[in-house]
Amino acid sequence: MIASPIQPFYAMEILGRAQAIEAQGGSVCHLEIGEPGGKPAPQVIEAVRQCLERPMGYTSAKGMPALRDRLSGYYRDHHGVEVSPERIMVTMGSSSGFILTFLAGFAPGQRIAVTRPGYPAYLNILSSLNLPSVEIPVSPANGWKLTAADIAAAYERSPFEGLLVASPANPTGAVLDRDELAAIIACCDRLGVRFISDEIYHNLNYTGRDTSALEFSHDHVVINSFSKYYCMTGWRIGWLVMREDLIRRAEMMAQSLFISASSVSQCAALAALDARAVYDERRESYARNRQVLADGLKGLGFKLAEPSDGAFYAYVDASPFTNDTMDFCMRMLETAGVAATPGQDFDRIDGHKYVRFSYAGKLETIEMALDRMAGFLQR
């Protein structure tokens, strides 16, 4: 028996149970997974329809040149930086981007730091690759934001070679402003730590402009995806930006690990990049959902329910109701038909008192969930 710190991805476990309830005729309000409720833009659907009329074989491991060129243009147009298409690799969602980054960018035994709370797949992927991890706690007192001082203190306690940070963040929705991100990157440069910027929730910012790590340095790594803003979770398509020496290593690994991302999904992604007006309109619907959910959760008695700055999550303190949100979420699903994710998914130490709710779906689903939760909490 091999001992492993890998834990279940509880959001997916809750989803599986919710789908089983629905298969038996039950009704579930899905607030557990970070999945946009809308379908891709009409231009995307049309692009895919055209794909079906011609052979769709492998692309190169780095992806279609046209898509990499267009992604290069994205950084020029939206972030004011020149990024060579040669430094861009199209990936099978952000997940394969993380795998390739960890394998190409770090030697066996090197340590990678992540925030706590944070996306659970980070720790599970690192454990699967036998790479040690370091967790740096962030707190609601500072808006769940990591600071350069946090990094320096954690490094002094236990040095690490890499740091992975998401902004906007999952599960908290915390957004680093330009100065905050610049300070973090400068701290990593001073310590000799490779910085990995998870930017998959870019363009889902309700407080200002997103800042890319590429605006400060070309030495670090950026991972992004079409899953969230572009409503393409199941299409499994993302991208990775690295220095040219690292991207070549990642390319050689991808040739054997993944061969290439889906050619159909790459055509869809190319069309999505030209449909931003559609997706910006959808972001406005998330903003409305965000406020309705925040007001509703506060009214029900949850703590820390102020609207998040980015992504599409509310990460709230459920301690007025429970000290075991795993049990709380399972009971709420089984008895009230509301699916939410327990905080243990994101924080293995303090997550027992937190719950994450997603507001990426329809407003009527959120309103129904709040009504059901009111009855559940009164029992």
Side-chain angles (χ1 to χ4, degrees):
M1 184 74 176
I2 299 175
S4 172
I6 297 172
Q7 294 188 7
F9 195 163
Y10 292 115
M12 301 308 295
E13 302 257 311
I14 293 285
L15 173 63
R17 178 56 191 149
Q19 290 175 335
I21 291 172
E22 290 174 318
Q24 296 167 0
S27 169
V28 175
C29 297
H30 288 277
L31 277 67
E32 76 277 35
I33 54 173
E35 182 166 63
K39 62 183 180 181
Q43 300 95 309
V44 174
I45 303 301
E46 179 57 30
V48 172
R49 186 176 291 112
Q50 293 178 13
C51 286
L52 302 180
E53 301 299 324
R54 62 182 189 270
M56 298 302 293
Y58 297 131
T59 70
S60 75
K62 289 177 75 172
M64 292 169 43
L67 179 53
R68 291 189 288 118
D69 285 344
R70 186 65 183 81
L71 287 167
S72 174
Y74 166 82
Y75 286 106
R76 181 178 58 253
D77 296 342
H78 294 278
H79 296 285
V81 293
E82 294 294 334
V83 179
S84 167
E86 294 304 313
R87 295 178 50 220
I88 299 173
M89 173 180 289
V90 180
T91 60
M92 296 172 60
S94 62
S95 301
S96 65
F98 292 121
I99 292 170
L100 291 169
T101 296
F102 297 150
L103 290 176
F106 300 92
Q110 289 191 319
R111 296 153 63 84
I112 299 169
V114 298
T115 60
R116 177 175 62 81
Y119 179 49
Y122 295 157
L123 293 177
N124 282 335
I125 293 172
L126 289 168
S127 295
S128 298
L129 299 176
N130 292 315
L131 287 168
S133 58
V134 173
E135 291 188 274
I136 307 176
V138 293
S139 78
N142 191 38
W144 299 109
K145 293 183 181 183
L146 184 70
T147 68
D150 295 330
I151 297 166
Y155 186 89
E156 185 174 355
R157 290 191 301 270
S158 180
F160 44 86
E161 285 74 31
L163 171 68
L164 171 55
V165 176
S167 174
N170 177 12
T172 63
V175 175
L176 297 167
D177 66 28
R178 184 176 179 82
D179 290 343
E180 291 165 337
L181 182 58
I184 286 173
I185 292 174
C187 180
C188 287
D189 288 340
R190 178 173 59 83
L191 297 173
V193 170
R194 172 164 288 140
F195 182 67
I196 308 164
S197 185
D198 178 350
E199 300 180 0
I200 72 169
Y201 291 99
H202 268 207
N203 301 302
L204 296 173
N205 184 339
Y206 312 104
T207 60
R209 172 185 173 275
D210 289 307
T211 304
S212 174
L214 295 171
E215 296 176 33
F216 305 103
S217 172
H218 289 284
D219 290 333
H220 301 294
V221 178
V222 164
I223 295 170
N224 210 323
S225 171
F226 288 90
S227 291
K228 309 301 183 180
Y229 171 74
Y230 295 100
C231 302
M232 294 174 65
T233 50
W235 298 75
R236 309 313 304 135
I237 190 78
W239 74 92
L240 175 64
V241 185
M242 285 178 159
R243 289 186 341 212
E244 289 189 8
D245 58 331
L246 288 181
I247 205 74
R248 177 56 178 155
R249 285 173 53 81
E251 178 186 16
M252 291 187 292
M253 291 174 177
Q255 288 168 346
S256 295
L257 290 173
F258 308 111
I259 300 181
S260 68
S262 159
S263 54
V264 175
S265 294
Q266 291 187 59
C267 290
L270 186 58
L273 288 166
D274 290 324
R276 291 179 59 86
V278 174
Y279 296 114
D280 283 346
E281 185 175 338
R282 294 195 186 165
R283 181 179 58 217
E284 296 308 309
S285 72
Y286 303 147
R288 292 191 294 272
N289 292 355
R290 162 182 175 259
Q291 192 63 55
V292 169
L293 181 60
D295 291 344
L297 292 174
K298 284 190 286 186
L300 291 172
F302 289 92
K303 298 179 181 178
L304 302 176
E306 292 300 320
S308 58
D309 289 341
F312 33 52
Y313 305 114
Y315 191 63
V316 299
D317 183 347
S319 59
F321 311 111
T322 183
N323 196 39
D324 182 358
T325 52
M326 184 73 71
D327 172 73
F328 178 86
C329 287
M330 290 305 301
R331 287 189 294 108
M332 187 166 65
L333 174 60
E334 298 288 347
T335 64
V338 176
T341 304
Q344 289 97 318
D345 222 5
F346 316 101
D347 183 342
R348 299 176 181 182
I349 297 175
D350 297 318
H352 58 88
K353 64 179 183 178
Y354 293 98
V355 176
R356 189 196 74 175
F357 296 92
S358 169
Y359 52 83
K362 297 180 179 179
L363 179 59
E364 51 264 38
T365 301
I366 293 170
E367 293 173 333
M368 182 183 295
L370 290 168
D371 286 342
R372 292 182 179 187
M373 289 168 62
F376 170 74
L377 295 172
Q378 289 172 2
R379 293 174 185 169

